[in-house]
Amino acid sequence: MPAAGRGERLGPGAPKALRELGGVPLLVHAVRALTRSRAVGLVVVAAPADGVAEVVALLDGHGLEGKDIRVVAGGATRQESVRLGLAAIPAEVGIVLVHDAARPLVPVEVVDAVASAVRAGAEAVVPAVPLADTVKRVEPVRGGPEPVLDTPDRATLRAVQTPQGFRREALAEVHAKALAEESAGDAGALPPVTDDAGLVERFGGRVVVVPGHEEAFKVTRPLDLVLAEAVLARRRAADAY
Ligand code: C5P
């Protein structure tokens, strides 16, 4: 679980993973969401490098006792945080899910569906939902107006969520290749990779999509926190969540 981001788009304050939702840090919600799945035996959290002790203390205090949870120092980018997390997973683990700490409310059904699809033989699996908005590609101009290049057919587009699931060797291999590319200074001309499945695609691997869920949204901007609070309140009213 990469959880080392600053969360600057949320506004000033603590690192995003430590912001609270219903009185509980986002990170704790996200870890609980994974441990609810019987497919998950171990959670490795990549914490802010200067916040490892704080994250360990936090996870000790929120009813996660008895779960196998390890905390490592994350990196300067999401990709680096994932790579450092992967390195801390025991060799015998064959299937890995990568889940953003910033998606605290992912339903257990999504976690199970992703894990099952990898178990059934897929190399890389992403949960995704159709788009409500029409999407345009533009020539970015700071402050705009921005010329439109084209409009992809919305029916072929999906908004991708996490957890993303992988055969462990496949994920480790593309992260190692990306690191080698960066060290050689070769990555500059390529668009940035913003998810792990994107790395698999870059190196020619096959990625499949399974249905995601609207409640697996990423908490990025202040309005997302308002929505997350509302979803949580509804769940708490419906059961002893
Ligand atoms: O920035 P973005 O919202 O795409 O971040 C997605 C996830 O990656 C978040 O859970 C964030 O904490 C994590 N991240 C990280 N290390 C970084 C930057 C982001 O673990 N250096």
Side-chain angles (χ1 to χ4, degrees), residues 2-5 9 16 75-78 81 100-102 218:
R9 288 169 290 179
K16 178 156 70 177
T77 62
R78 182 186 183 284
S81 296
D100 290 334
K218 185 160 72 173

Side-chain angles (χ1 to χ4, degrees), residues 130-212:
L131 294 185
D133 293 321
T134 293
V135 172
K136 298 206 185 283
R137 281 196 331 118
V138 300
E139 192 76 66
V141 176
R142 194 186 285 268
E146 301 178 312
V148 169
L149 299 174
D150 56 31
T151 306
D153 175 7
R154 193 172 63 190
T156 69
L157 297 176
R158 299 288 179 269
V160 167
Q161 304 176 325
T162 72
Q164 301 190 345
F166 304 89
R167 274 199 305 105
R168 188 243 181 89
E169 320 85 83
L171 185 60
E173 189 185 317
V174 293
H175 272 275
K177 281 184 180 165
L179 181 61
E181 214 180 56
E182 272 167 33
S183 315
D186 289 347
L190 296 164
V193 170
T194 50
D195 71 340
D196 296 278
L199 271 188
V200 173
E201 292 156 45
R202 173 176 289 182
F203 295 108
R206 205 175 125 74
V207 180
V208 295
V209 165
V210 298

